[in-house]
């Protein structure tokens, strides 16, 4: 080690034995050698150490730290890119029907949708996200939480899209949801074990010789059906208050102001296993569906949501108006909203 310092001109021996070539160092050179050792341990090349020793200054160390941060960021980006590549290469689950063989094929409900995500008026970051994939018949909202919440909701939605085929079976939709859970768990668990995401999705699924709609959800992101001019919930929140409402111990109205209304009992990415809830969705020509995160329904009453869905015919315009209305009511949280129309049934 000392020999390499000497070879680089950083530490001149106090004496050199002419016969053996052995180098001798004076006790007073120990602090100098130790300093060089620390810089080497910090990964500083010998040439840069020489510059520092010529003119020692903390500005040099500050620059080294900035370089280090930049390098770590670059390395992390590289690792993240590889993880994303691996996630998108996850084997596709088989589809058991031919209703997706041709886009808009036999009995495929024709769905058109518009969506929007918004940071709201209070939060510093937007951890909500949404996905519209009309070709696959897949519509998803997700609400991330924890320090990696934005990453969690994004990973969940992308993993769901990457895993399912167009019109999977109901089981395929649930399995894709579990794959999304695992993807979030793997991406976030090392950094923060409390980061995760809710998710609510409506998908076209295969059933026997037909296709129908199914809703899958984890947490308190919701799905609604607008049918006959009325708004019907398709999901029940996986939350402390949601469980109390289900048990008849709390009314929907009382749950709206309950202090534990945001405390979830299920979420994606907080453990290696997930428990998605899936249900069939009744659907008729002219029905409209809504997927949203709690940033919407905590600000607006169901009747306000219904009135917008009845008044705004274009799904994208309806999603935007709902979001703006939530912000006008305080915008205390992020929102993600998707409005889906079943415009016709192709046969
Ligand atoms: Mg939220």
């Amino acid at each position: 080690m000392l020999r390499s310092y000497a070879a680089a001109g950083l530490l001149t021996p106090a004496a050199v034995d002419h016969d053996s070539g052995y180098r001798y160092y004076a006790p007073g050179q120990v602090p100098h050698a130790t300093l060089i050792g620390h810089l080497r341990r910090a990964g500083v090349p010998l040439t840069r150490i020489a510059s520092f020793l010529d003119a020692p200054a903390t500005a040099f160390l500050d620059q080294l730290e900035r370089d280090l941060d930049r390098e770590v960021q670059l390395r992390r980006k590289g690792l993240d890119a590889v993880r994303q590549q691996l996630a998108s290469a996850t084997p596709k689950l088989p589809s058991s029907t031919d209703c997706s063989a041709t886009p808009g094929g036999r009995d495929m409900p024709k769905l058109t949708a518009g969506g929007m995500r918004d940071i709201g008026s209070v939060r510093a970051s937007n951890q909500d996200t949404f996905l519209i994939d009309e070709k696959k018949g897949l519509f998803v909202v997700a609400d991330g939480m924890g320090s990696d919440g934005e990453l969690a909701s994004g990973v969940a939605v992308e993993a769901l899209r990457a895993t399912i085929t167009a019109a999977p079976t109901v089981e395929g939709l649930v399995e894709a949801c579990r794959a999304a859970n695992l993807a979030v768990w793997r991406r976030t668990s090392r950094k923060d074990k409390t980061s995760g995401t809710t998710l609510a999705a409506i998908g076209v699924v295969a059933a026997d010789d037909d296709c129908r709609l199914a809703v899958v959800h984890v947490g308190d992101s919701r799905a609604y059906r607008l049918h006959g001019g009325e708004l019907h919930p398709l999901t029940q929140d996986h939350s402390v208050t949601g469980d109390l409402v289900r048990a008849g111990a709390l009314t929907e109205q009382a749950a709206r102001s309950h202090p534990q209304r945001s405390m979830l009992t299920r979420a994606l990415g907080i453990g290696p296993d997930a428990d998605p809830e899936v249900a069939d969705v009744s659907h008729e020509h002219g029905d409209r569906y809504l997927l949203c995160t709690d940033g919407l329904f905590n600000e607006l009453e169901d009747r306000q949501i219904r009135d917008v869905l009845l008044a705004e015919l274009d799904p994208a315009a309806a999603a935007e108006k709902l979001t703006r209305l939530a912000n006008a009511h305080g915008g205390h949280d992020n929102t993600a909203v998707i409005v889906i129309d079943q415009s016709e049934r192709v046969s």
Side-chain angles (χ1 to χ4, degrees):
M1 189 171 64
L2 293 176
R3 186 182 293 271
S4 68
Y5 297 171
L10 300 176
L11 189 67
T12 307
V16 179
D17 187 292
H18 285 293
D19 296 328
S20 65
Y22 197 85
R23 293 167 164 82
Y24 295 93
Y25 294 90
Q29 289 182 293
V30 170
H32 193 69
T34 306
L35 182 68
I36 297 169
H38 289 325
L39 289 167
R40 290 296 291 150
R41 207 156 38 244
V44 183
L46 290 172
T47 49
R48 293 193 72 184
I49 292 176
S51 307
F52 174 71
L53 294 177
D54 284 344
T58 54
F60 176 85
L61 302 177
D62 294 342
Q63 182 60 48
L64 283 178
E65 282 202 32
R66 285 193 291 274
D67 292 347
L68 190 61
D69 288 342
R70 207 163 25 242
E71 188 184 338
V72 168
Q73 274 181 0
L74 282 172
R75 287 186 179 195
R76 285 220 166 102
K77 274 186 183 170
L79 292 175
D80 281 347
V82 173
R83 285 184 199 281
Q84 278 177 357
Q85 204 168 330
L86 288 177
S88 64
T90 304
K92 304 284 187 286
L93 296 172
S95 171
S96 66
T97 183
D98 64 352
C99 66
S100 64
T102 55
R106 178 169 56 87
D107 292 327
M108 181 87 156
K110 183 169 170 47
L111 303 172
T112 54
M116 187 169 181
R117 70 190 280 259
D118 193 87
I119 194 170
S121 310
V122 175
R123 297 290 175 92
S125 64
N126 193 351
Q127 300 186 325
D128 286 9
T129 193
F130 74 94
L131 166 77
I132 293 174
D133 189 332
E134 290 180 358
K135 203 171 174 187
K136 282 189 173 178
L138 179 68
F139 309 89
V140 195
V141 296
D143 179 350
M145 59 194 167
S147 59
D148 276 342
E150 191 173 355
L151 177 70
S153 58
V155 167
V157 165
E158 278 310 313
L160 193 69
R161 168 156 62 180
T163 309
I164 74 162
T165 56
T169 60
V170 170
E171 294 75 21
L173 186 61
V174 171
E175 280 310 309
C177 214
R178 291 208 169 96
N181 174 74
L182 209 52
V184 177
W185 169 247
R186 284 179 176 153
R187 288 289 300 281
T188 62
S189 60
R190 287 190 203 106
K191 295 180 189 170
D192 176 1
K193 290 194 182 300
T194 62
S195 289
T197 186
T198 69
L199 182 142
I202 286 178
V204 176
V205 293
D208 301 324
D209 294 330
D210 200 1
C211 286
R212 62 175 195 255
L213 295 179
V215 58
V216 64
H217 83 292
V218 181
D220 67 354
S221 288
R222 292 182 179 176
Y224 295 87
R225 177 192 185 201
L226 184 75
H227 176 72
E230 289 303 323
L231 194 64
H232 306 277
L234 297 173
T235 52
Q236 288 187 304
D237 297 347
H238 300 140
S239 64
V240 171
T241 52
D243 291 348
L244 289 171
V245 169
R246 234 191 312 266
L250 195 70
T251 65
E252 285 278 0
Q253 198 55 35
R256 294 183 67 84
S257 55
H258 196 283
Q260 291 182 315
R261 64 185 181 279
S262 298
M263 197 170 288
L264 301 180
T265 51
R266 296 189 211 178
L268 290 184
I270 55 171
D273 297 315
D275 190 14
E277 183 175 344
V278 69
D280 281 337
V281 175
S282 300
H283 59 98
E284 289 179 18
H285 170 69
D287 279 352
R288 174 168 260 198
Y289 303 94
L290 169 71
L291 288 166
C292 63
T293 57
D294 63 342
L296 185 77
F297 61 76
N298 279 339
E299 298 290 359
L300 304 181
E301 302 277 350
D302 282 4
R303 60 178 174 75
Q304 294 173 294
I305 296 174
R306 178 202 61 199
D307 289 348
V308 172
L309 291 175
L310 287 171
E312 284 291 345
L313 297 183
D314 178 66
E320 185 178 346
K321 186 155 187 184
L322 285 169
T323 305
R324 294 199 189 290
L325 208 53
N327 286 342
H329 278 73
H332 296 92
D333 196 359
N334 310 144
T335 51
V337 178
I338 301 178
V339 177
I340 309 158
D341 284 337
Q342 183 177 348
S343 49
E344 61 181 295
R345 202 172 166 87
V346 179
S347 56

